[in-house]
Amino acid sequence: MTSTRMARFEAWLAEHRGLNFGRYDDLWQWSVSDLPAFWQALWDHFELQSPTPHSAVLVPPPGGARMPGTRWFPGAQTNYARQVLRHVETATAAGHPAIVFQNESRQAQGIPPHTLSWPELQRQVAVLATRYTQLGVQPGDRICAYLPNTPQTVVAFLACASVGALWSVCSPDMGPVAVLDRFRQIEPRLLLAVDGQVWGGTAHDRRPVLREVLAGLPTLQHLVLVPGIDPSARAADFVPASGTAFAGHDWDELLAGAAPADWAPRWLPFEHPLWIVYSSGTTGLPKPIVHGHGGIVLESLKGALHNDVHPSAGTGERFFWFSSTGWIMWNAQVAALLGGTTICLFDGNPGGPSKAPDWGTLWRFAAETGITWFGAGAAFYASCLKAGIEPMKVADLSRLQAVGSTGSPLSDDCYDWIWQQLSRPGGQPIWLNAISGGTDFAGAFVAGHRGLPVVKGEMQCRCLGAAVEAWSEEGRPLIGEVGELVCTQPMPSMPLHFWNDAGGARYAASYFDMFPGVWRHGDWICITPRPGAGTHGAVIYGRSDATINRHGIRMGTSELYRAVEALPEVLDSLVVDLEFLGRESWMPLFVVLREGVVLDDFLQQRLRLAIRQALSARHVPNDIFQVAAVPRTLSGKKMELPVKKLLLGAAPDTVFKRDAMANADCVDWFVALARSRANA
């Protein structure tokens, strides 16, 4: 496997540092025990540039603990957009585009995907960045976007990064309350927005939502309207006739013209803020997490080692990870540009039209764009499996070399389905790279390694530079046992801070309350030894705050889901374990069944038997309910904790942010159940 990016990095370490590692675990151990040496090696290996030297790799905060508060590469300068655009000449010479784009409407009409060349990407970024500056945008200002997964959104982000403003984006499927809960906290100067979006075969007019958002942002000085569903829509239509006014600008007009000859992205300090992303709690406003340019560049390039993503100029690589702009995987998808890789974007419903579901949509997109690296949430693969999709019969996927999954644990059945359906010529299983990380640090803690064996149900390894361990409640490291996922050493992509978090109290409480000085991520994890493989794998068992605790036996919910969703009748499921003060605990299971299937006594018995056989009699639910849908976030995560809090008596509006849900209509059923139990 000398052609993999990880192997090349190891060869580079041997040549330039005199370091030789016989096993991956040895390489990982070095990366987390000698932080200055590892992160400097990563900087040098990827030939990162700075007009000024850094005085150190990291500077710990006062007091001895390394987290939170570690400073990285003081004195160095960088810029995310500059790192992207340094690939213009080599990628262009090799004949590879920067972006390949398709959406529902174009695909339905048989219109080929749109390609954006590297020189055109550079021109658009330069022109828009110049316009930002002319409109008064300064480094540190906030630029917000209400945009879908399109090339315009990528251009708007890179232009924002190039001038040193902070970027923040919400997906157009989010409602006004969710958008304002996020954007109002950070007081934007400029907003880019789309008038509408086609999703599931239907054109959704978002102009009423946009008007509410505009009315709720008093700091706004400029609106840029990006064309969506109505070619005649103009930004001027949204400028109020009286009251607090902002100027309106149309995207096509701003993007017209040539780039200034001397334009270049601004050099910025390594830890200059890049973007603000949000991690939604179940109470209070979403947490506005600020990440820095340098940390995100380093973490993203390190991710290319684990994902084995190559520059397109060398391999013709085309990277795709299906995501809306409201999920951190959109950021991860765009980050492939940092390494000179062509990215493929699809805007629309992965399941096709709502009235005629089609789970072959993304596979056809992969074929028509020549995708080599295909990523999606675990729920997508589960839907394809349940729908009986056979991707190789749907489209020509001969260029596909890797499949990635994240968002929630991937079931064993999905591992088997991917291997069966996407095997290479000669029966060689395709490389399946399941990863787990978080919005919080915009990266992965456990991920893949093309040179290591893939074990069903597991991530292949702990990521370089990520000192991940499973800890008991007492802070004791565990091997082969389920514990809290912790990271014992800092990483440069960890948050700089939360916005408007004076003194860092909310930041500290979010990650360091349980184990001071150690990052607690909030997931259950098991570090699995692999004798003879030279590494340790990992299994994620779901959120630790949604634990099943039956008769003293604690377990993550994903194990139960694997058992339940293996039944062909079950499309989706959700379980919560409720502990009432002074009463015996109650554990209900909610299942979504195939159309026409009814939860009768026989199916209930089969569900209980499956759980008993896979887990234990302790974990058989008290009650099983058939529901129309399981509440999910916009990124597809099951909302276990909100359902749990609702059934424990919390007010619905405090636990469900309906504007930030993928299927808010299903909430009313759970609210009715909570009320009926409260009145019983």
Side-chain angles (χ1 to χ4, degrees), residues 587-606:
M587 191 175 84
L589 170 67
F590 306 95
V591 293
V592 180
L593 304 179
R594 286 184 179 276
E595 186 175 355
V597 177
V598 177
L599 183 65
D600 56 19
D601 290 343
F602 178 67
L603 182 53
Q604 288 220 30
Q605 291 174 9
R606 290 181 60 214

Side-chain angles (χ1 to χ4, degrees), residues 136-212:
V137 174
Q138 300 292 322
D141 285 343
R142 276 74 65 204
I143 291 178
C144 290
Y146 188 58
L147 296 174
N149 184 26
T150 64
Q152 292 100 319
T153 308
V154 177
V155 168
F157 159 59
L158 292 176
C160 174
S162 72
V163 301
L166 281 73
W167 170 260
S168 190
V169 61
C170 283
S171 173
D173 54 358
M174 296 175 71
V177 174
V179 175
L180 287 172
D181 277 352
R182 288 155 175 78
F183 289 170
R184 196 151 41 196
Q185 293 188 71
I186 64 175
E187 301 178 317
R189 176 189 287 267
L190 185 149
L191 173 70
L192 301 108
V194 72
D195 62 292
Q197 179 187 27
V198 175
W199 187 274
T202 302
H204 297 272
D205 189 342
R206 307 306 284 166
R207 283 172 287 196
V209 175
L210 178 56
R211 293 185 190 281
E212 289 189 54

Side-chain angles (χ1 to χ4, degrees), residues 9-31:
F9 178 57
E10 292 193 57
W12 184 93
L13 288 172
E15 179 182 354
H16 295 275
R17 296 293 193 269
L19 297 171
N20 291 279
F21 301 98
R23 306 182 313 154
Y24 176 79
D25 258 10
D26 297 330
L27 172 62
W28 174 81
Q29 189 62 54
W30 166 75
S31 76

Side-chain angles (χ1 to χ4, degrees), residues 490-629:
M491 296 165 57
S493 67
M494 285 176 174
L496 301 177
H497 52 264
F498 289 177
W499 192 262
N500 283 339
D501 182 23
R506 192 180 183 194
Y507 178 27
S510 296
Y511 310 109
F512 305 103
D513 59 342
M514 188 170 185
F515 305 113
V518 172
W519 177 290
R520 170 184 171 265
H521 195 58
D523 281 341
W524 286 122
I525 188 172
C526 178
I527 305 299
T528 56
R530 293 186 186 153
T535 188
H536 286 72
V539 179
I540 298 292
Y541 290 93
R543 298 295 296 173
S544 58
D545 52 13
T547 304
I548 300 172
N549 186 3
R550 303 290 279 175
H551 309 287
I553 305 298
R554 304 178 72 185
M555 183 175 294
T557 54
S558 66
E559 292 180 273
L560 188 142
Y561 296 146
R562 288 194 185 105
V564 169
E565 293 173 19
L567 272 65
E569 296 91 343
V570 181
L571 296 176
D572 202 359
S573 62
L574 182 141
V575 66
V576 291
D577 183 17
L578 310 179
E579 297 179 19
F580 298 91
L581 185 63
R583 294 166 55 187
E584 187 176 347
S585 68
W586 178 59
M587 191 175 84
L589 170 67
F590 306 95
V591 293
V592 180
L593 304 179
R594 286 184 179 276
E595 186 175 355
V597 177
V598 177
L599 183 65
D600 56 19
D601 290 343
F602 178 67
L603 182 53
Q604 288 220 30
Q605 291 174 9
R606 290 181 60 214
L607 286 164
R608 295 177 189 278
L609 178 61
I611 295 168
R612 182 179 290 108
Q613 291 177 338
L615 305 179
S616 76
R618 294 186 182 91
H619 296 93
V620 173
N622 297 95
D623 292 292
I624 305 177
F625 298 92
Q626 181 175 355
V627 295

Side-chain angles (χ1 to χ4, degrees), residues 49 68 187 201 224 321 404 411 505 507 529 552 554 573 579-580 614 647 653 669 679:
Q49 301 169 345
E187 301 178 317
V224 177
W321 200 297
S411 71
Y507 178 27
R554 304 178 72 185
S573 62
E579 297 179 19
F580 298 91
L647 295 174
D653 291 343
W669 186 94
N679 295 329

Side-chain angles (χ1 to χ4, degrees), residues 356-408:
D358 178 8
W359 289 98
T361 298
L362 294 186
W363 300 114
R364 287 192 297 275
F365 171 65
E368 66 180 344
T369 55
I371 286 169
T372 57
W373 216 110
F374 184 106
F380 169 76
Y381 300 110
S383 296
C384 289
L385 184 158
K386 296 287 186 179
I389 296 296
E390 298 180 80
M392 300 289 277
K393 294 182 179 180
V394 169
D396 178 6
L397 300 174
S398 56
R399 294 201 73 227
L400 191 62
Q401 299 297 318
V403 172
S405 175
T406 194
S408 58

